Amino acid sequence: MGLLEGKVALITGIANKNSIAYGIAKAFKREGAELVITYANEKLGKKVLPIAEELGAKLALEMDVSSDEKMDAAFAEIERKVGVLDAVVHSIAFAPVEEFRRPTLYTSREGFRIAMDISVYSLIALAQRAVKLMEGREGSFLTLSYYGAEKVVPHYNVMGIAKAALESTVRYLAFDLGRMGHRINAISAGPVKTLAARAISGFHLLMKHTMEVSPLGRGIDIMDVGNAAVFLCSDWARNITGEVLHVDAGYHVMGVMDKEESIEQS
Ligand code: 0WD
């Protein structure tokens, strides 16, 4: 029996087969979960609908998290067609590309607002609506963060600030949701080449650096994140909430980045 047998999971943030959310959806499916898949807009729908079909999703629908009305409409449809939810995966982030191109010092008010709205507030907006479908169940929420929340990663800029706020949001929501019997956690994933990652200047150098200095001396892939997500959303993790789990080949434990040393060891 799969670890998520009998559970219904809402997965947001699949843009294509490179998306971290795709790895999570595949792992959830493998473990017996029924899937509800949402995509940001009609254009992305053309890519995502065939993926939803391949994964045998119960329902696939559009949901732009920047609009309360669109979220209400999507949740009304989920309630009508599916009725319940056990898990919600928030795999969404966005900031205007200019914000990755200039120093954090020159972040615009609008860029900051958009980054916080789409990448952070959307988690709260999802939780507000999902709890109604989790009544009487031990629900579980999961979001995706990155090391740039904890330390300065050049070019990550306003997204690092947003991820710090996101991780704090996980802790505050853990308190509110915990009173209802639900859990919420984050996975801080190592760099993965995806559509969103392409916006960040020098991303390939960041990936190379991470692989070279991490204790395991390698990078991660979307199934590594998917497998950890299965655990966090399964009953095996029923007393884990408010946590940020690093799936980064151990990169975050390094203080001094000694590239030579890690190469000698391998
Ligand atoms: O290295 C990486 N790729 C890492 C990503 C390392 C650590 C964390 N993450 C995080 C990201 O910050 C994000 O929170 O993982 C999450 C998923 O990102 P991803 O899988 O790297 O990127 P991608 O495949 O582009 O999916 C993100 C998706 C959007 O794709 P695009 O590229 O079209 O922006 O977030 C969704 C959209 O599908 N999204 C929205 N969904 C609903 N409403 C919206 C919106 N308004 N905006 C973006």
Side-chain angles (χ1 to χ4, degrees):
M1 200 171 114
L3 288 179
L4 300 178
E5 211 73 52
K7 294 193 192 291
V8 182
L10 168 63
I11 313 265
T12 66
I14 300 180
N16 55 41
K17 287 195 172 184
N18 297 320
S19 298
I20 290 175
Y22 176 66
I24 296 175
K26 258 178 85 167
F28 273 37
K29 177 75 189 168
R30 184 194 69 215
E31 298 297 331
E34 299 229 62
L35 305 179
V36 175
I37 288 173
T38 66
Y39 47 89
N41 52 49
E42 225 180 298
K43 192 170 158 224
L44 275 177
K46 292 204 177 80
K47 280 247 163 69
V48 179
L49 286 172
I51 292 175
E53 200 177 321
E54 168 206 306
L55 293 168
K58 235 176 136 102
L59 179 64
L61 72 168
E62 191 179 319
M63 180 168 68
D64 177 354
V65 297
S66 68
S67 152
D68 280 334
E69 293 70 32
K70 287 182 180 167
M71 290 191 76
D72 286 340
F75 268 88
E77 192 174 338
I78 296 168
E79 185 167 11
R80 210 169 45 246
K81 296 196 174 149
V82 183
V84 293
L85 286 176
D86 299 283
V88 173
V89 175
H90 172 268
S91 186
I92 293 171
F94 180 78
V97 72
E98 317 83 79
E99 304 301 348
F100 301 107
R101 302 273 182 271
R102 57 186 173 216
T104 308
L105 180 63
Y106 299 110
T107 305
S108 70
R109 190 181 295 273
E110 185 59 2
F112 188 91
R113 189 197 65 73
I114 292 172
M116 294 297 271
D117 183 25
I118 308 295
S119 317
V120 186
Y121 180 74
S122 61
L123 177 63
I124 297 177
L126 271 177
Q128 275 172 10
R129 290 162 176 85
V131 289
K132 293 190 195 127
L133 305 184
M134 287 179 168
E135 265 173 42
R137 311 168 88 88
E138 293 189 347
S140 173
F141 292 83
L142 181 74
T143 187
L144 273 302
S145 190
Y146 174 60
Y147 184 69
E150 302 164 52
K151 300 284 178 194
V152 175
V153 175
H155 307 297
Y156 201 57
N157 302 0
V158 71
M159 194 49 76
I161 297 170
K163 291 300 189 193
L166 182 72
E167 292 185 7
S168 181
T169 304
V170 166
R171 291 185 282 272
Y172 277 87
L173 286 182
F175 178 68
D176 292 353
L177 294 168
R179 293 298 192 262
M180 302 174 179
H182 309 314
R183 301 182 296 108
I184 180 164
N185 294 292
I187 287 177
S188 181
V192 182
K193 213 183 286 167
T194 63
L195 211 58
R198 262 197 247 156
I200 299 153
S201 322
F203 186 78
H204 64 287
L205 293 175
L206 191 72
M207 275 191 81
K208 190 168 169 277
H209 169 77
T210 309
M211 282 182 192
E212 283 169 352
V213 305
S214 67
L216 288 169
R218 63 185 183 220
I220 67 139
D221 64 31
I222 60 172
M223 292 316 295
D224 294 324
V225 182
N227 292 330
V230 165
F231 164 66
L232 286 174
C233 293
S234 78
D235 296 342
W236 291 103
R238 70 181 295 271
N239 269 321
I240 300 176
T241 194
E243 189 64 284
V244 180
L245 176 67
H246 292 81
V247 178
D248 64 351
Y251 179 78
H252 71 287
V253 305
M254 297 303 291
V256 176
M257 307 296 183
D258 188 348
K259 211 163 96 174
E260 295 312 313
E261 178 77 8
S262 69
I263 288 166
E264 273 167 30
Q265 277 176 6
S266 60

Coordinates of all heavy atoms in Angstrom, one line a residue, residues 85-149:
L85 N -10.1 17.6 0.7 CA -8.7 17.6 0.4 C -7.9 17.1 1.7 O -8.4 17.4 2.8 CB -8.2 19.1 0.1 CG -8.6 19.7 -1.2 CD1 -8.1 21.1 -1.2 CD2 -7.9 18.9 -2.4
D86 N -6.9 16.4 1.5 CA -6.0 16.0 2.6 C -4.6 16.7 2.5 O -4.0 16.8 3.6 CB -5.7 14.5 2.5 CG -7.0 13.7 2.6 OD1 -7.5 13.6 3.8 OD2 -7.5 13.2 1.6
A87 N -4.2 17.1 1.3 CA -2.9 17.7 1.2 C -3.0 18.8 0.2 O -3.7 18.7 -0.8 CB -1.9 16.7 0.8
V88 N -2.2 19.9 0.4 CA -2.1 21.0 -0.5 C -0.6 21.3 -0.7 O 0.1 21.5 0.3 CB -2.8 22.3 0.0 CG1 -2.6 23.4 -0.9 CG2 -4.3 22.0 0.1
V89 N -0.2 21.3 -1.9 CA 1.2 21.6 -2.2 C 1.3 23.0 -2.9 O 0.7 23.2 -4.0 CB 1.9 20.5 -3.2 CG1 3.3 20.9 -3.6 CG2 1.9 19.2 -2.4
H90 N 2.0 23.9 -2.3 CA 2.2 25.3 -2.8 C 3.6 25.3 -3.4 O 4.6 25.3 -2.7 CB 2.0 26.2 -1.6 CG 2.3 27.7 -2.0 ND1 3.6 28.2 -1.8 CD2 1.6 28.7 -2.4 CE1 3.5 29.5 -2.1 NE2 2.3 29.8 -2.5
S91 N 3.6 25.3 -4.8 CA 4.9 25.3 -5.4 C 5.0 26.5 -6.4 O 5.2 26.3 -7.6 CB 5.1 24.0 -6.1 OG 6.4 23.9 -6.7
I92 N 4.7 27.7 -5.9 CA 4.5 28.9 -6.7 C 5.4 30.0 -6.2 O 5.5 30.2 -5.0 CB 3.0 29.3 -6.5 CG1 2.1 28.3 -7.2 CG2 2.8 30.7 -7.1 CD1 0.6 28.6 -6.9
A93 N 6.1 30.7 -7.1 CA 6.8 31.9 -6.8 C 7.0 32.7 -8.0 O 7.0 32.2 -9.1 CB 8.2 31.5 -6.3
F94 N 7.0 34.0 -7.8 CA 7.2 34.9 -9.0 C 7.7 36.3 -8.5 O 7.2 36.8 -7.5 CB 5.9 35.1 -9.8 CG 6.0 36.0 -11.0 CD1 6.6 35.5 -12.1 CD2 5.6 37.3 -10.9 CE1 6.8 36.4 -13.2 CE2 5.8 38.2 -12.0 CZ 6.4 37.7 -13.1
A95 N 8.6 36.8 -9.3 CA 9.0 38.2 -9.2 C 9.3 38.7 -10.6 O 9.9 37.9 -11.4 CB 10.2 38.4 -8.2
P96 N 9.1 40.0 -10.9 CA 9.4 40.5 -12.2 C 10.9 40.3 -12.5 O 11.7 40.5 -11.6 CB 9.0 42.0 -12.1 CG 8.0 42.0 -11.0 CD 8.4 41.0 -10.0
V97 N 11.2 39.9 -13.7 CA 12.6 39.6 -14.0 C 13.6 40.7 -13.7 O 14.8 40.4 -13.3 CB 12.7 39.0 -15.5 CG1 12.5 40.2 -16.5 CG2 14.0 38.3 -15.7
E98 N 13.2 41.9 -13.8 CA 14.1 43.1 -13.6 C 14.7 43.0 -12.1 O 15.8 43.4 -11.9 CB 13.5 44.4 -13.7 CG 12.5 44.7 -14.8 CD 11.1 44.2 -14.6 OE1 10.3 44.8 -13.9 OE2 10.9 43.1 -15.1
E99 N 13.9 42.4 -11.2 CA 14.3 42.4 -9.8 C 15.5 41.5 -9.6 O 16.2 41.5 -8.6 CB 13.1 42.0 -8.9 CG 11.9 42.9 -9.0 CD 12.2 44.4 -8.8 OE1 13.3 44.7 -8.2 OE2 11.3 45.2 -9.1
F100 N 15.7 40.6 -10.6 CA 16.9 39.7 -10.4 C 18.1 40.3 -11.2 O 19.2 39.7 -11.1 CB 16.6 38.3 -11.0 CG 15.5 37.6 -10.4 CD1 14.2 37.5 -11.0 CD2 15.6 37.1 -9.1 CE1 13.2 36.8 -10.4 CE2 14.5 36.4 -8.5 CZ 13.3 36.3 -9.1
R101 N 17.9 41.3 -11.9 CA 18.9 41.9 -12.8 C 19.6 43.1 -12.1 O 20.6 43.5 -12.6 CB 18.3 42.4 -14.1 CG 17.6 41.3 -14.9 CD 18.6 40.6 -15.8 NE 17.9 39.6 -16.6 CZ 17.7 38.3 -16.2 NH1 18.1 37.9 -15.1 NH2 17.0 37.5 -17.0
R102 N 19.0 43.7 -11.1 CA 19.6 44.8 -10.4 C 19.8 44.5 -8.9 O 19.1 43.6 -8.4 CB 18.8 46.1 -10.6 CG 17.4 46.0 -10.1 CD 16.5 47.2 -10.5 NE 15.1 47.0 -10.1 CZ 14.1 47.4 -10.8 NH1 14.3 48.1 -11.9 NH2 12.9 47.2 -10.4
P103 N 20.7 45.3 -8.2 CA 20.9 45.0 -6.8 C 19.6 45.1 -6.0 O 18.7 45.9 -6.3 CB 21.9 46.0 -6.4 CG 22.5 46.5 -7.6 CD 21.5 46.4 -8.7
T104 N 19.6 44.4 -4.9 CA 18.4 44.4 -4.0 C 18.1 45.8 -3.6 O 17.0 46.2 -3.4 CB 18.7 43.5 -2.7 OG1 19.2 42.2 -3.2 CG2 17.5 43.4 -1.8
L105 N 19.2 46.6 -3.4 CA 19.1 48.0 -3.0 C 18.1 48.8 -3.9 O 17.4 49.7 -3.5 CB 20.5 48.7 -3.1 CG 20.6 50.2 -2.7 CD1 20.2 50.4 -1.3 CD2 22.0 50.6 -3.0
Y106 N 18.0 48.4 -5.2 CA 17.1 49.1 -6.1 C 15.8 48.4 -6.4 O 15.1 48.7 -7.4 CB 17.9 49.5 -7.4 CG 19.1 50.3 -7.0 CD1 20.4 49.9 -7.1 CD2 18.9 51.6 -6.5 CE1 21.4 50.6 -6.8 CE2 19.9 52.4 -6.2 CZ 21.2 51.9 -6.3 OH 22.3 52.7 -5.9
T107 N 15.4 47.5 -5.5 CA 14.1 46.8 -5.7 C 13.0 47.8 -5.8 O 12.9 48.7 -5.0 CB 13.9 45.9 -4.5 OG1 15.0 45.0 -4.3 CG2 12.6 45.0 -4.6
S108 N 12.1 47.6 -6.7 CA 11.0 48.6 -6.9 C 9.8 48.2 -5.9 O 9.7 47.0 -5.5 CB 10.4 48.6 -8.3 OG 9.8 47.3 -8.5
R109 N 9.0 49.2 -5.5 CA 7.9 48.9 -4.6 C 7.0 47.9 -5.3 O 6.5 47.0 -4.6 CB 7.2 50.3 -4.4 CG 6.1 50.2 -3.3 CD 5.4 51.5 -3.2 NE 6.3 52.6 -2.7 CZ 6.5 52.9 -1.4 NH1 6.0 52.1 -0.5 NH2 7.3 53.8 -1.1
E110 N 6.7 48.0 -6.6 CA 5.8 47.1 -7.3 C 6.4 45.7 -7.4 O 5.7 44.7 -7.2 CB 5.5 47.7 -8.7 CG 4.4 47.0 -9.4 CD 3.0 46.9 -8.8 OE1 2.8 47.4 -7.7 OE2 2.2 46.2 -9.4
G111 N 7.7 45.6 -7.6 CA 8.3 44.3 -7.7 C 8.3 43.6 -6.4 O 8.0 42.4 -6.3
F112 N 8.5 44.4 -5.3 CA 8.4 43.8 -4.0 C 7.0 43.3 -3.7 O 6.8 42.2 -3.2 CB 8.8 44.9 -3.0 CG 9.0 44.4 -1.6 CD1 10.3 44.0 -1.1 CD2 7.9 44.4 -0.7 CE1 10.4 43.5 0.2 CE2 8.1 43.9 0.6 CZ 9.3 43.5 1.1
R113 N 6.0 44.1 -4.0 CA 4.6 43.8 -3.8 C 4.3 42.5 -4.5 O 3.7 41.6 -3.9 CB 3.7 44.9 -4.2 CG 2.3 44.8 -3.8 CD 1.3 45.7 -4.5 NE 1.3 45.4 -6.0 CZ 0.7 44.3 -6.5 NH1 0.1 43.4 -5.7 NH2 0.7 44.2 -7.8
I114 N 4.6 42.4 -5.8 CA 4.3 41.3 -6.6 C 4.9 40.0 -6.0 O 4.3 39.0 -5.9 CB 4.7 41.5 -8.1 CG1 3.8 42.6 -8.7 CG2 4.5 40.2 -8.9 CD1 4.2 43.0 -10.1
A115 N 6.2 40.1 -5.7 CA 7.0 38.9 -5.2 C 6.3 38.4 -3.9 O 6.1 37.2 -3.7 CB 8.4 39.3 -4.9
M116 N 6.0 39.4 -3.0 CA 5.4 38.9 -1.7 C 3.9 38.4 -1.9 O 3.5 37.4 -1.3 CB 5.3 40.1 -0.7 CG 6.7 40.6 -0.3 SD 7.6 39.3 0.6 CE 7.1 39.7 2.2
D117 N 3.2 39.0 -2.9 CA 1.8 38.6 -3.1 C 1.8 37.1 -3.7 O 1.1 36.2 -3.1 CB 1.2 39.6 -4.0 CG -0.3 39.2 -4.3 OD1 -0.9 38.6 -3.4 OD2 -0.8 39.6 -5.3
I118 N 2.5 36.9 -4.8 CA 2.5 35.7 -5.5 C 3.2 34.6 -4.7 O 2.8 33.4 -4.7 CB 3.0 35.8 -6.9 CG1 2.4 36.9 -7.7 CG2 2.9 34.4 -7.7 CD1 1.0 36.8 -8.0
S119 N 4.3 34.9 -4.1 CA 5.2 33.9 -3.5 C 4.9 33.6 -2.1 O 5.3 32.5 -1.5 CB 6.7 34.3 -3.6 OG 6.9 34.9 -4.9
V120 N 4.2 34.5 -1.4 CA 4.0 34.4 0.1 C 2.5 34.4 0.4 O 2.0 33.4 1.0 CB 4.8 35.4 0.9 CG1 4.7 35.1 2.4 CG2 6.3 35.5 0.5
Y121 N 1.9 35.5 0.1 CA 0.5 35.6 0.5 C -0.3 34.5 -0.1 O -1.3 34.0 0.6 CB -0.1 37.0 0.1 CG -1.6 37.0 0.6 CD1 -1.9 37.2 1.9 CD2 -2.6 36.8 -0.3 CE1 -3.2 37.1 2.4 CE2 -3.9 36.7 0.1 CZ -4.2 36.9 1.5 OH -5.5 36.8 1.9
S122 N 0.0 34.0 -1.2 CA -0.8 32.9 -1.9 C -0.8 31.7 -1.0 O -1.8 30.9 -1.1 CB -0.2 32.6 -3.3 OG 1.2 32.2 -3.1
L123 N 0.2 31.5 -0.2 CA 0.1 30.3 0.7 C -1.0 30.5 1.7 O -1.8 29.5 2.0 CB 1.5 30.1 1.4 CG 1.5 29.0 2.4 CD1 1.3 27.6 1.8 CD2 2.9 29.0 3.2
I124 N -1.1 31.7 2.3 CA -2.2 32.0 3.2 C -3.5 31.9 2.5 O -4.5 31.3 3.0 CB -2.0 33.4 3.8 CG1 -0.7 33.4 4.6 CG2 -3.2 33.8 4.7 CD1 -0.3 34.8 5.2
A125 N -3.6 32.4 1.3 CA -4.9 32.4 0.6 C -5.3 31.0 0.3 O -6.5 30.7 0.3 CB -4.7 33.2 -0.7
L126 N -4.4 30.1 0.0 CA -4.7 28.7 -0.3 C -5.2 28.0 1.0 O -6.2 27.3 1.0 CB -3.4 28.0 -0.7 CG -3.1 27.9 -2.2 CD1 -1.8 27.2 -2.4 CD2 -4.2 27.2 -3.0
A127 N -4.5 28.3 2.1 CA -4.8 27.6 3.4 C -6.2 28.1 3.8 O -7.0 27.2 4.2 CB -3.8 28.0 4.4
Q128 N -6.5 29.4 3.7 CA -7.9 29.9 4.0 C -9.0 29.1 3.4 O -10.0 28.7 4.0 CB -8.0 31.3 3.6 CG -7.5 32.4 4.5 CD -7.5 33.8 3.9 OE1 -8.1 34.0 2.8 NE2 -6.8 34.7 4.5
R129 N -8.8 28.8 2.1 CA -9.8 28.1 1.4 C -9.8 26.6 1.5 O -10.8 25.9 1.6 CB -9.7 28.5 -0.1 CG -10.1 29.9 -0.4 CD -9.6 30.4 -1.7 NE -10.0 31.8 -2.0 CZ -9.4 32.9 -1.5 NH1 -8.3 32.8 -0.8 NH2 -9.9 34.1 -1.8
A130 N -8.6 26.1 1.7 CA -8.5 24.6 1.7 C -9.0 24.0 3.1 O -9.5 22.9 3.1 CB -7.0 24.2 1.5
V131 N -8.9 24.8 4.2 CA -9.3 24.2 5.4 C -10.7 23.8 5.5 O -11.1 22.8 6.1 CB -9.0 25.1 6.7 CG1 -7.5 25.2 6.9 CG2 -9.6 26.5 6.5
K132 N -11.5 24.5 4.7 CA -13.0 24.1 4.6 C -13.2 22.7 4.1 O -14.1 22.0 4.4 CB -13.7 25.1 3.7 CG -13.8 26.5 4.3 CD -14.8 27.3 3.5 CE -14.6 28.8 3.9 NZ -14.4 29.7 2.7
L133 N -12.2 22.3 3.2 CA -12.4 20.9 2.6 C -11.6 19.9 3.4 O -11.5 18.7 3.0 CB -11.8 21.0 1.1 CG -12.5 22.0 0.2 CD1 -12.0 21.9 -1.2 CD2 -14.0 21.9 0.2
M134 N -11.0 20.3 4.5 CA -10.2 19.4 5.3 C -10.9 19.0 6.6 O -10.3 18.4 7.5 CB -8.8 20.0 5.6 CG -7.9 20.0 4.4 SD -6.3 20.8 4.9 CE -5.3 20.4 3.4
E135 N -12.1 19.5 6.8 CA -12.8 19.3 8.1 C -12.8 17.8 8.4 O -13.2 17.0 7.6 CB -14.2 19.9 8.1 CG -14.2 21.3 8.7 CD -15.5 22.0 8.5 OE1 -16.5 21.4 8.7 OE2 -15.5 23.2 8.2
G136 N -12.5 17.5 9.7 CA -12.5 16.1 10.1 C -11.4 15.2 9.6 O -11.4 14.0 9.8
R137 N -10.4 15.9 8.9 CA -9.3 15.1 8.4 C -8.0 15.7 8.9 O -8.0 16.9 9.4 CB -9.3 15.2 6.8 CG -10.6 14.9 6.2 CD -10.7 15.2 4.8 NE -10.2 14.1 3.9 CZ -11.0 13.2 3.4 NH1 -12.2 13.1 3.8 NH2 -10.5 12.2 2.6
E138 N -6.9 15.0 9.0 CA -5.7 15.6 9.4 C -4.9 16.1 8.2 O -4.2 15.4 7.5 CB -4.8 14.5 10.2 CG -5.5 14.2 11.5 CD -4.6 13.3 12.4 OE1 -3.6 12.8 11.9 OE2 -5.0 13.2 13.6
G139 N -5.2 17.3 7.8 CA -4.7 17.9 6.5 C -3.2 18.2 6.6 O -2.7 18.4 7.7
S140 N -2.6 18.4 5.5 CA -1.2 18.7 5.4 C -0.9 19.7 4.3 O -1.3 19.5 3.2 CB -0.4 17.4 5.3 OG 0.9 17.6 5.1
F141 N -0.1 20.7 4.6 CA 0.3 21.7 3.6 C 1.8 21.6 3.4 O 2.5 21.4 4.4 CB -0.1 23.1 4.0 CG -1.6 23.4 4.1 CD1 -2.3 23.0 5.2 CD2 -2.2 24.0 3.0 CE1 -3.7 23.2 5.3 CE2 -3.6 24.2 3.1 CZ -4.3 23.8 4.2
L142 N 2.2 21.9 2.2 CA 3.6 21.9 1.9 C 4.0 23.1 1.0 O 3.3 23.3 0.0 CB 4.0 20.6 1.2 CG 5.5 20.5 0.9 CD1 6.3 20.3 2.2 CD2 5.8 19.4 -0.1
T143 N 5.1 23.8 1.3 CA 5.5 24.9 0.3 C 7.0 24.7 0.0 O 7.7 23.9 0.7 CB 5.2 26.3 0.9 OG1 5.5 27.2 -0.1 CG2 6.1 26.6 2.2
L144 N 7.5 25.4 -1.0 CA 8.9 25.2 -1.4 C 9.7 26.5 -1.1 O 9.2 27.6 -1.5 CB 8.9 25.0 -2.9 CG 8.7 23.5 -3.4 CD1 9.9 22.7 -2.8 CD2 7.4 22.9 -3.1
S145 N 10.8 26.3 -0.5 CA 11.6 27.4 -0.2 C 13.0 27.2 -0.7 O 13.3 26.2 -1.4 CB 11.7 27.7 1.3 OG 12.3 28.9 1.6
Y146 N 13.9 28.1 -0.5 CA 15.3 28.0 -1.0 C 16.2 28.7 0.1 O 15.9 29.6 0.8 CB 15.4 28.7 -2.4 CG 16.8 28.7 -2.9 CD1 17.6 27.5 -3.0 CD2 17.5 29.9 -3.1 CE1 18.9 27.5 -3.5 CE2 18.8 29.9 -3.6 CZ 19.5 28.8 -3.7 OH 20.8 28.8 -4.1
Y147 N 17.5 28.2 0.1 CA 18.6 28.7 0.9 C 18.7 30.2 1.0 O 19.1 30.8 2.0 CB 19.8 28.0 0.5 CG 21.1 28.3 1.3 CD1 21.2 27.7 2.6 CD2 22.1 29.0 0.8 CE1 22.3 28.0 3.4 CE2 23.3 29.3 1.6 CZ 23.3 28.7 2.9 OH 24.4 28.9 3.6
G148 N 18.3 30.9 -0.1 CA 18.4 32.3 -0.2 C 17.5 33.0 0.9 O 17.6 34.2 1.1
A149 N 16.7 32.3 1.6 CA 15.9 32.8 2.7 C 16.8 33.0 3.9 O 16.5 33.9 4.7 CB 14.8 31.8 3.0

